[in-house]
Amino acid sequence: SKYRCESLGASCELVNVGTEEEMCVDGSVNDVNPPVISPQLDIISPGYQYRDIEKGGFSLRSDEGDCIDAYTPLRFGINTDEPAYCKFDLEENEFENMAYDFGPSYYLYNHTTQFNVPNIENGDLDMYVTCQDSNGHKNSRFYMINICVNQGPDLTAPLIIDIDPNPG
């Protein structure tokens, strides 16, 4: 509860209020560091792997080290060292203008996304990731995720995810 969280200390605050992801975090004004991002190694679609893991990012490839086919639904994730809200874009943008949430738009430690790999011309897709903590501290540099993409037609069959028994 909010009372229990705030009773832990003057800088404690409840985030993600009203969701299943409510969490008590230290909102200390002395925290001047942005979240530290790393790959979530235990979360990735079967047949794919994290590669070339460095301090500022990683790449995604098939288990054989090959590029990933366009239109592949790819599930992967990142971790942060403190609860953070993470976003990404395919262009360099300010956090507020980034196109996609990296998982739910909550303050979390573990962020997972399902991304449909687009068909691109040059074969290399860069994702620019930024995370923000509850004090508003954001990464000064983008965390980079690179996906090598095999061009090709969309051969994926449509998937029915919902029906409306009462159309119109």
Side-chain angles (χ1 to χ4, degrees):
S1 72
K2 182 177 180 186
Y3 172 77
R4 287 180 66 191
C5 178
E6 291 175 353
S7 71
L8 295 173
S11 65
C12 293
E13 61 181 314
L14 197 63
V15 296
N16 309 326
V17 177
T19 71
E20 293 181 12
E21 302 294 337
E22 279 188 359
M23 185 183 316
C24 184
V25 299
D26 181 4
S28 173
V29 294
N30 294 326
D31 173 17
V32 296
N33 297 316
V36 175
I37 305 170
S38 61
Q40 193 175 15
L41 297 175
D42 58 336
I43 301 291
I44 192 162
S45 295
Y48 302 96
Q49 62 180 279
Y50 298 95
R51 297 180 66 114
D52 307 318
I53 298 170
E54 298 175 11
K55 186 176 180 182
F58 57 84
S59 62
L60 296 167
R61 301 290 187 269
S62 73
D63 281 344
E64 294 78 31
D66 299 327
C67 294
I68 298 171
D69 291 338
Y71 306 105
T72 299
L74 188 61
R75 184 171 183 257
F76 59 97
I78 58 172
N79 294 322
T80 51
D81 68 335
E82 62 180 313
Y85 172 31
C86 297
K87 297 175 91 172
F88 72 93
D89 207 328
L90 304 180
E91 301 175 2
E92 294 183 30
N93 275 316
E94 295 293 322
F95 183 80
E96 298 76 19
N97 299 325
M98 291 186 136
Y100 309 99
D101 290 335
F102 207 114
S105 55
Y106 304 135
Y107 292 95
L108 303 169
Y109 286 98
N110 305 313
H111 311 266
T112 305
T113 192
Q114 175 94 12
F115 181 73
N116 291 322
V117 178
N119 192 21
I120 58 171
E121 288 185 27
N122 71 0
D124 261 328
L125 175 72
D126 287 325
M127 298 173 72
Y128 301 87
V129 181
T130 302
C131 296
Q132 176 176 295
D133 67 16
S134 62
N135 287 322
H137 301 117
K138 297 175 271 231
N139 308 95
S140 60
R141 292 185 178 185
F142 292 109
Y143 190 80
M144 300 297 299
I145 299 173
N146 173 267
I147 304 173
C148 177
V149 181
N150 288 325
Q151 286 184 294
D154 184 1
L155 302 175
T156 308
L159 176 65
I160 299 171
I161 57 172
D162 194 13
I163 61 168
D164 185 355
N166 300 314

